[in-house]
Amino acid sequence: MRDVIIAGGGPGGLLLAHFLGEHGIDYQVLERGKIAQAWRMMREGMILLSPAVPGTDWTSLTLKHPLWALPGVRKPFPRREDFLCYVDAFAREHHLRVLENTAVTRAAVIPGGFSVETSAGNKSGRFLVLATGSASEPAYPDIPGIASNPFVLHACDYVHCMAYSGKRVLIIGGGNSAAEIAIELAGTAGVTLSTRGPMRYFSETGDLEHIRGSSESNLKECIRFGIVGLREADPVVRVSGRRAWFRGGEEREFDWILCATGYRPAWIPIDGGTVRTREDGYPVISPTGQSTLPGLYFCGSLARFNKRCAFIHGFRNYVEKVFWDIADGL
Ligand SMILES: Cc1cc2nc3c(=O)[nH]c(=O)nc-3n(C[C@H](O)[C@H](O)[C@H](O)COP(=O)(O)OP(=O)(O)OC[C@H]3O[C@@H](n4cnc5c(N)ncnc54)[C@H](O)[C@@H]3O)c2cc1C
């Protein structure tokens, strides 16, 4: 039995592995794909929202090993490729013990710890940490006609604007992903953006949740020029095949309906114990990340100590708290 099993080899799981390794604690990271698989599946060329420059580094896993020190990194906002290279180098240079292509499918409480079922057989550990991320399960809006509609896709399915050349694309959502995809599609596809409420912008509210893509002004210009059609506070109320009905009463046909409506927290089933959840679906955790099931911890973006924990700069300090709590218990 290992001391610690970490499910998920993304930024959260890898940072915890780094702390455990530094202190000589026995652990194993189990990752369903390659290191930082979730980032490998994101859009090519995507620009991060979090800056990484000396003094304002919201992206590096630790300030001792900063992303901006890598040669050629885009500044102040790195590209997805920069971040991926950085995380991959971080894991390999620190000799983090990551078993790749090993998906954890469920876990069970056993005497003295946990047993986990994986695609590469069973493993066990005294402590189990779930660092499988908060973006593994796409959330679709509760609009009649969306489910099982072959013309509906989610932002996580979007690869590149060239796939939509000349098409009429309706984007449902007014958040960051909606803004980024609208900017990318602008000029290539006929884009309509439909939001539930008024658009909010970071430059106006200063709220990080109101960042609208890598260039807010670019989005605003596209809307002003009519390159992106904005149906502000005019949400879709019904869909049937390619047709969409808006609250304002209009009905229109599109080639694709893209839901940029975020993700919902989800994790593997745990037998033999109860993990209590909050109203928003995230697990109830202690100030050090322990769930209501003793010995089971959450780490990274799945551990919502506060809303900033959706981002690396929000959760990176908390990962250390998880580490110290586990180390104390060994
Ligand atoms: C489009 C998009 C853009 C973003 N941009 C930024 C940004 O600019 N700056 C920022 O700070 N944050 C950004 N985020 C948030 C970002 O995802 C988190 O900051 C960070 O990646 C969370 O790290 P994590 O380790 O908690 O989860 P993840 O990065 O999601 O890593 C979880 C890992 O667990 C693995 N996994 C999942 N299920 C299993 C399983 N059953 N068994 C084994 N392994 C499993 C996954 O393959 C993945 O590698 C963005 C998110 C999205 C979706």
Side-chain angles (χ1 to χ4, degrees), residues 8-13 30-32 36-39 42 46 48-50 58 102-104 131-133 135 263 268 299-302 310-312 315:
L30 306 172
E31 164 55 53
R32 67 175 169 176
Q37 183 63 37
W39 283 86
M42 288 186 198
M46 187 184 86
L48 270 69
L49 302 174
S50 46
W58 288 14
T102 305
V104 181
T132 46
Y263 299 84
I268 51 155
C299 172
S301 56
L302 207 42
F311 290 88
I312 292 155
F315 70 67

Side-chain angles (χ1 to χ4, degrees), residues 167-191:
K167 306 288 182 197
R168 298 159 300 172
V169 181
L170 168 65
I171 301 176
I172 298 179
N176 175 60
S177 290
E180 289 207 331
I181 294 175
I183 293 170
E184 266 199 42
L185 285 174
T188 300
V191 191

Side-chain angles (χ1 to χ4, degrees), residues 100-283:
E100 294 180 312
N101 302 313
T102 305
V104 181
T105 47
R106 62 191 309 126
V109 179
I110 56 166
F114 294 86
S115 143
V116 293
E117 271 177 32
T118 82
S119 50
N122 285 4
K123 318 270 174 207
S124 59
R126 290 171 66 187
F127 290 90
L128 173 62
V129 182
L130 299 185
T132 46
S134 57
S136 53
E137 195 107 351
Y140 290 87
D142 192 14
I143 299 171
I146 288 279
S148 311
N149 184 330
F151 302 105
V152 170
L153 59 147
H154 191 269
C156 67
D157 302 318
Y158 175 90
V159 180
H160 197 277
C161 66
M162 67 175 77
Y164 306 93
S165 180
K167 306 288 182 197
R168 298 159 300 172
V169 181
L170 168 65
I171 301 176
I172 298 179
N176 175 60
S177 290
E180 289 207 331
I181 294 175
I183 293 170
E184 266 199 42
L185 285 174
T188 300
V191 191
T192 303
L193 194 61
S194 160
T195 68
R196 260 188 317 202
M199 281 296 273
R200 304 248 182 261
Y201 295 99
F202 178 65
S203 64
E204 292 158 14
T205 66
D207 187 333
L208 290 177
E209 282 191 0
H210 297 154
I211 292 178
R212 297 289 168 255
S214 51
S215 170
E216 178 186 303
S217 67
N218 193 335
L219 177 68
K220 283 180 168 167
E221 278 166 41
C222 285
I223 292 170
R224 267 285 173 91
F225 284 126
I227 301 168
V228 168
L230 175 63
R231 303 188 77 102
E232 193 173 10
D234 189 15
V236 176
V237 291
R238 185 161 73 88
V239 163
S240 175
R242 300 170 189 267
R243 299 199 80 76
W245 284 259
F246 296 88
R247 190 169 62 192
E250 207 183 320
E251 174 193 343
R252 276 188 56 193
E253 188 168 288
F254 297 91
D255 295 301
W256 295 107
I257 298 168
L258 191 149
C259 301
T261 39
Y263 299 84
R264 60 177 197 86
W267 55 90
I268 51 155
I270 314 279
D271 301 323
T274 308
V275 179
R276 272 188 29 229
T277 51
R278 312 186 317 196
E279 244 174 40
D280 61 3
Y282 282 90

